[in-house]
Amino acid sequence: MYSDKVMDHFTNPRNVGELDSPDGVGEVGNARCGDIMRIYLKVENDVIVDVKFKTFGCGAAIASSSMATELIKGKTIDEALLITNKAVTQALDGLPPVKLHCSVLAEEAIQKAISDYKEKQKSKVGA
Ligand code: FES
């Protein structure tokens, strides 16, 4: 049912944890299953230099967050904004249709963390 990549990222997730004083944080949840995902970003010169995640959720959500963090690490903010749930799913060699919403959570968490980063930048400029 699950690809080797999904199983690998589920059993050995990359970038788990939190960041001290992150530049952006995004938390999203799925009301149906109750799963929650949080992504922390460290950004320097508009490049994501570090990223961590905490996911309270199903195996597919954990694998999706792990893969998503790998995909955005080292990318610019603009590049990271282009990462869709489809890209996450493809990088995982697919997810069962009933589990596609788990990868959507990863896309949403990235988007939210980036908009949090942008908001913080704005308030810094205004300060
Ligand atoms: Fe909810 Fe996977 S079942 S995120």
Side-chain angles (χ1 to χ4, degrees):
M1 180 175 175
Y2 288 111
S3 71
D4 290 346
K5 272 203 185 149
V6 174
M7 290 313 290
D8 176 31
H9 278 263
F10 169 57
T11 50
N12 179 26
R14 328 299 199 258
N15 309 309
V16 180
E18 291 177 36
L19 287 176
D20 284 339
S21 49
D23 298 306
V25 181
E27 181 179 306
V28 289
N30 182 297
R32 275 208 172 169
C33 61
D35 291 349
I36 295 168
M37 190 181 289
R38 201 178 295 154
I39 286 191
Y40 302 82
L41 303 177
K42 192 93 207 149
V43 183
E44 276 169 25
N45 299 322
D46 265 1
V47 174
I48 297 170
V49 291
D50 204 2
V51 48
K52 296 267 187 236
F53 81 90
K54 272 199 158 173
T55 293
F56 181 80
C58 73
I62 290 168
S64 295
S65 352
S66 170
M67 182 54 88
T69 57
E70 289 280 274
L71 289 177
I72 64 170
K73 209 178 200 174
K75 296 259 185 344
T76 65
I77 289 295
D78 287 342
E79 287 167 343
L81 277 174
L82 298 175
I83 306 261
T84 59
N85 81 299
K86 229 180 171 183
V88 174
T89 310
Q90 271 170 7
L92 287 170
D93 290 340
L95 280 171
V98 293
K99 287 289 176 184
L100 282 176
H101 76 272
C102 317
S103 61
V104 173
L105 221 50
E107 177 186 324
E108 289 174 352
I110 293 171
Q111 307 266 345
K112 214 160 173 193
I114 291 177
S115 48
D116 182 49
Y117 163 71
K118 286 188 169 172
E119 282 303 311
K120 284 185 174 144
Q121 289 305 104
K122 261 191 227 158
S123 53
K124 266 190 201 165
V125 172

